[in-house]
Amino acid sequence: MKYGFFIFSILFAIPFTATATPNLINPNTTPETKSLYYNLAKLGDQVLFGHEDSLAYGAKWWGYNEDNSIHSDIKAVTDSFPAVLGADLGGIELGHDKNLDGVRFNDYAHYIKETFKMGGVNTFSWHMYSPVDQSDSWSKQPFVKTLIPGGEHHAQLVAYLDAFIAFNETLTVKVDGNEVWIPIIFRPWHEHNGDWFWWGKGHTAEQDYISLWRFTVDYLNEQGQNNLIFAFSPDRSRIDMANFEQSYQYGYPGDNYIDIIGYDNYWDLGHPANTVTVEEQQTLFVEGLVKLTDLAESKGKVSALSEAGQEGVWQDNFWTERFAAGIFANDKTARIAYALVWRNNNEEQGKKGHYYGTYPGEKNASDFVTFYNHPNTVFIDTIPAMYQ
Ligand code: BMA
């Protein structure tokens, strides 16, 4: 049997690996970063569960213990941390010690290192303040054309990227006596096909967005940021499903500038502004994931549901009947590498009910446990080795 399997492997596995292993756009990435990408690509029908800010705070708590031990609402409900931790850099460019949602960057570094040490995956988004007037990312002004190479505020964009570089270069841990740079899935300039951020459609010409993206990637690579995997993430609500490929690729900077074909989808999961029936939303949720994976595979890249969720998770059995039902609808939907839901806002810091995961006592907590126990969901307690 074993011998037969060996022959089979020689005949099929090697050629398969040679063609199916995608390459990162930056050839100089660290071995751990290359391994992460390779392992994301070969998860098959397993999907990593991710949660934004999961270790930083939850609905009813904040921070970590004096002995450095960490929490997560997801851990409190399932006894496992999520496989993917999302963090947002917004504010780092202004020299703030906390991000826009109040998380200290020093604390983020702790959570990122802990996630990596447990074998988990880290991803960053960046609600960047404007390099022109420091207004927040929701200011709808035509800044981008002044930030790209040749623009009058270009140097300020470079300074902002340098602030990220300084933080990124601190993200190392010792593994077996060697210093390892923690790989990061970096997802800048997200949801650009919407009109709510200053880099979005309406305030930015498509070609200028492409220049912004290409400059960002080229600059970070030139500066030796070799721990980055670049994820592209338009918003589903602005994608024409009848014309997915073309519509998805609004602002697409090219296959040499993207590693992960992602998208953010709140729209098909019960977004209050979406007026089509639940059944129709669910059909489109599934269809979108199929098309996303088809597009990624046609380009030899990895697909991901880079942000998702239902604010306040109001629908009974959301996790099983909506989320898992969509992600595991068929062998294509299940090919996405990860699905990250947005943050559980701390109830004392702003809006109550602005949560996308679960927490102890929350109405869908037991349904979440069923989701956690699904054979194809991956949390940190079942994550395969991603860095070798
Ligand atoms: C949004 C909301 C905001 C938050 C921002 C950045 O979707 O959650 O409250 O400030 O993301 O995390």
Side-chain angles (χ1 to χ4, degrees):
M1 274 303 273
K2 272 191 181 162
Y3 185 69
F5 181 73
F6 179 71
I7 298 286
F8 177 85
S9 308
I10 296 287
L11 289 178
F12 296 100
I14 290 176
F16 175 79
T17 317
T19 52
T21 303
N23 290 319
L24 286 163
I25 56 171
N26 171 7
N28 301 322
T29 44
T30 64
E32 292 77 15
T33 310
K34 288 192 171 78
S35 295
L36 173 58
Y37 193 58
Y38 173 77
N39 287 311
L40 288 170
K42 73 177 184 80
L43 281 166
D45 60 5
Q46 303 285 300
V47 175
L48 309 183
F49 176 76
H51 187 207
E52 182 73 9
D53 283 351
S54 202
L55 277 52
Y57 55 84
K60 298 174 195 298
W61 59 273
W62 192 282
Y64 57 98
N65 298 331
E66 266 174 36
D67 67 357
N68 288 341
S69 59
I70 46 176
H71 312 272
S72 161
D73 280 338
I74 302 304
K75 162 88 172 159
V77 169
T78 65
D79 206 30
S80 178
F81 289 100
V84 179
L85 175 67
D88 195 277
L89 298 164
I92 205 161
E93 63 282 5
L94 300 182
H96 291 173
D97 63 341
K98 293 176 179 171
N99 89 335
L100 75 166
D101 298 316
V103 183
R104 288 212 308 257
F105 289 106
N106 283 344
D107 294 353
Y108 259 151
H110 179 54
Y111 308 133
I112 291 159
K113 290 176 187 182
E114 290 300 304
T115 295
F116 177 75
K117 286 194 274 183
M118 292 187 287
V121 177
N122 286 285
T123 178
F124 292 170
S125 52
W126 194 348
H127 285 81
M128 192 195 277
Y129 289 80
S130 164
V132 177
D133 66 2
Q134 290 73 51
S135 55
D136 68 28
S137 48
W138 292 269
S139 57
K140 299 177 176 59
Q141 293 179 69
F143 297 130
V144 172
K145 64 172 182 289
T146 73
L147 298 175
I148 56 183
E152 60 177 309
H153 299 292
H154 179 61
Q156 197 55 35
L157 172 68
V158 175
Y160 279 21
L161 294 175
D162 285 341
F164 162 60
I165 290 174
F167 177 67
N168 189 39
E169 292 187 344
T170 68
L171 301 176
T172 63
V173 289
K174 270 223 157 71
V175 179
D176 300 331
N178 299 317
E179 207 68 19
V180 173
W181 200 355
I182 300 174
I184 301 292
I185 297 172
F186 187 55
R187 188 171 67 86
W189 313 126
H190 66 302
E191 300 175 3
H192 63 284
N193 56 346
D195 59 359
W196 44 90
F197 298 137
W198 54 256
W199 54 88
K201 201 171 182 173
H203 333 297
T204 306
E206 182 175 15
Q207 199 50 50
D208 290 347
Y209 177 81
I210 290 173
S211 302
L212 176 70
W213 182 285
R214 289 185 180 163
F215 175 77
T216 303
V217 170
D218 287 339
Y219 183 72
L220 294 173
N221 288 346
E222 273 161 35
Q223 297 299 312
Q225 303 306 293
N226 294 330
N227 65 331
L228 302 180
I229 294 175
F230 290 92
F232 186 65
S233 59
D235 193 79
R236 149 67 184 111
S237 68
R238 302 302 165 93
I239 292 174
D240 171 11
M241 293 297 287
N243 192 12
F244 186 91
E245 265 200 37
Q246 196 195 350
S247 185
Y248 176 91
Q249 292 185 84
Y250 171 80
Y252 188 71
D255 292 352
N256 295 338
Y257 282 90
I258 298 289
D259 297 310
I260 294 184
I261 295 287
Y263 83 167
D264 292 5
N265 194 354
Y266 298 94
W267 189 247
D268 295 321
L269 293 172
H271 190 286
N274 190 349
T275 53
V276 308
T277 63
V278 168
E279 291 70 31
E280 206 170 326
Q281 289 185 30
Q282 193 65 12
T283 301
L284 291 171
F285 181 44
V286 170
E287 203 178 304
L289 293 174
V290 168
K291 289 184 169 168
L292 194 73
T293 294
D294 278 346
L295 185 62
E297 291 191 350
S298 74
K299 294 174 178 298
K301 299 193 185 287
V302 169
S303 61
L305 186 52
S306 39
E307 272 187 46
Q310 184 181 76
E311 186 180 19
V313 204
W314 45 266
Q315 189 185 338
D316 286 345
N317 300 325
F318 170 82
W319 298 105
T320 49
E321 292 173 11
R322 201 88 189 250
F323 207 60
I327 290 171
F328 302 117
N330 57 53
D331 58 356
K332 281 191 178 169
T333 59
R335 286 284 301 148
I336 58 167
Y338 68 92
L340 178 140
V341 299
W342 205 240
R343 63 202 197 92
N344 284 4
N345 189 52
N346 183 270
E347 290 181 358
E348 284 169 21
Q349 313 254 338
K351 228 163 84 173
K352 214 177 162 178
H354 182 60
Y355 68 89
Y356 295 83
T358 187
Y359 55 87
E362 188 265 335
K363 57 188 178 302
N364 268 315
S366 70
D367 185 55
F368 191 89
V369 174
T370 309
F371 171 73
Y372 160 77
N373 284 318
H374 190 289
N376 298 69
T377 56
V378 179
F379 286 64
I380 224 156
D381 57 353
T382 52
I383 198 167
M386 299 303 284
Y387 299 103
Q388 42 186 285

